[in-house]
Amino acid sequence: MNGEPPRSAFAPIWRRLRSGALWVAVALALPIGVLAALLTSAFRLGIEALDSALLGSQADITVHFAALPWYWRLLLPTLGALLAGALLSWERRLRREPGERDYMEAIAEGDGRVPLRSSLLRATSSLATIVSGGSIGREGAMVQLAALSGSLSGRRWADSSTLRLCTACGAAAGLASVYHTPLAGAMFVAEVVLGSITVERLIPLFAAAVTATLTVHALGSEAAPFALAQGGAQLGGGGLALLLVVGLAAGLLGPPFLALLDRARRVFLRVPAPLVLRMALGALLMGAITLLVPEVAGNGYEPIRAILHEAPLSVPVGWLLLAKIAATLLIAGSGAIGGIFTPALFIGAALGSLIAGAAAALPVPGLSADTVLLALVGMGAFMTAVSHAPLMSILMVFEMTMDASLLLPLMCGCVLAYTVSGLFRRRNSLYAVLDRRQLKASEIRAYEATPLAQLVRPPSKTLAPDATLAEAHELFGLARRRYLHVIDAQGRFVGALSVHRLHEVLYRSPSSASAPVKDYLESDFLILPAHLTLAQAWDALTHLPVDWLPVVDDLQHRHVLGVISKREILARVTELRRER
């Protein structure tokens, strides 16, 4: 041996390397983070270059719209929508590539493959909408491209499980590089897309997100986009009351917003026109809104900064809030590709600012209204209400401000918004994968709540108490079970005969073959009353080394209603959970 460690000592490490988790964390997550950051930075540079070429400078789109004549406020979004719609129509006519068009579906439900041509066309379509002032977020296309980089990076040598994790690393890196939020980027993918938060998944997600954030910092992009020089947040007295009002209002506003978004999509689908014209119609109507409120153009980044710095707006913040909601519904509802993150943050900021203004006008002693604080809490609370991801929302606003004093106020507002929106929510979230996961979870809960009486099948291959051991031996050969149930003439459960007990008796005393089975029963064999639900009987099903369990009317009378198969039930539950 020469002091060398045994070969088996390296087996656990080798198994983890082959399983993919450690391999992705060490060898793939870091380069995926760099590549994702380069792609998102290139997309951002593309926006800036087109802004300079079309509008003469790289100023925010709202600045340009405020200076444009009225006809260009109508024409520019419409022309951009025509181009964006043409690109989407082209993408739909292409021969379908392997994989899911949306990165969330590829990670949550697919094998991690994100199609190349489809992603590039959809990103270019989103670029046309963004540059022309559409009320949509930039992050949708940027994260899609970042997820594509992860999918392409792991496609050559990764299995489906590892490839899904590679794509997830790309998505986390993309969101982190867009908002400079590595924690929130990783948590978004874990909490929303993957649906679980485990160390094995978080480590590669964190590695990719941190690498992407460091890369965009090295490229000169500013950190903490909404960093403010303000003191610690005060929660005493009226301040806490207003935080709760913001959380309540965001929780109440989130479900109607999602319902209106669904309604807008259905309305536009009923318009008797091709996709290109439907998108142009939505953009034209949004352009009409900019005639009165130019701040609704774009993703809402600059108006958020104006609210947080308490700068003047073209209209009162309440009208701005309604106008932004309408503009976002028109663009997203008409079929444009893009994200809802930044528009949702803008709606939350406007909501918090509106509540602060209303509180300041009330003659209530001690009711302090910190506009900036309430706007920031509104951002996190409304994002929670529409995404159903409170942890991600808290971390995102914190990282975008880098103000640790916001954590407690954000937790108050986001938890309340999550709770309230859950009471009224018709849909689970902005994201279809969460809706489907919630549907599957409800199916599992419904199945586990099923009374055992509804799951039984008629008993077969049973014995009467007076049957002989020889008859039992013959029936065991046919049934191939570990136990046979013994039921009397009145249909009552008497006990169970073990095949091991039978063989032991016959081996020791072959003459016992004519003895009745009732003398060798396990009378304390587990039986399940029919009123129990599957969830209540779960421990018995999972821990007992038997496949068939009798179900009786009650434990006193013990009349057999049927039997349930542990194997069938576990297979059905496993199937439901796998479909999630």
Side-chain angles (χ1 to χ4, degrees), residues 69-81:
W70 67 268
Y71 50 86
W72 274 115
R73 297 193 197 184
L74 297 174
L75 282 176
L76 184 58
T78 305
L79 293 173

Side-chain angles (χ1 to χ4, degrees), residues 91 94-97 115-122 148:
E91 183 265 340
L94 284 176
R95 183 173 61 86
R96 187 69 181 272
E97 299 173 88
L116 174 61
R117 288 180 300 174
S118 176
S119 297
L120 294 178
L121 283 173
R122 288 164 69 87
L148 173 65

Side-chain angles (χ1 to χ4, degrees), residues 94-156:
L94 284 176
R95 183 173 61 86
R96 187 69 181 272
E97 299 173 88
E100 300 292 342
R101 293 198 296 187
D102 183 77
Y103 74 91
M104 289 191 186
E105 295 178 358
I107 297 170
E109 301 168 351
D111 61 359
R113 289 179 175 268
V114 179
L116 174 61
R117 288 180 300 174
S118 176
S119 297
L120 294 178
L121 283 173
R122 288 164 69 87
T124 309
S125 172
S126 181
L127 182 63
T129 302
I130 293 167
V131 172
S132 60
S135 179
I136 204 76
R138 301 178 178 185
E139 76 283 346
M142 298 167 84
V143 177
Q144 178 79 16
L145 290 174
L148 173 65
S149 71
S151 177
L152 294 176
S153 299
R155 193 171 296 182
R156 292 179 63 93

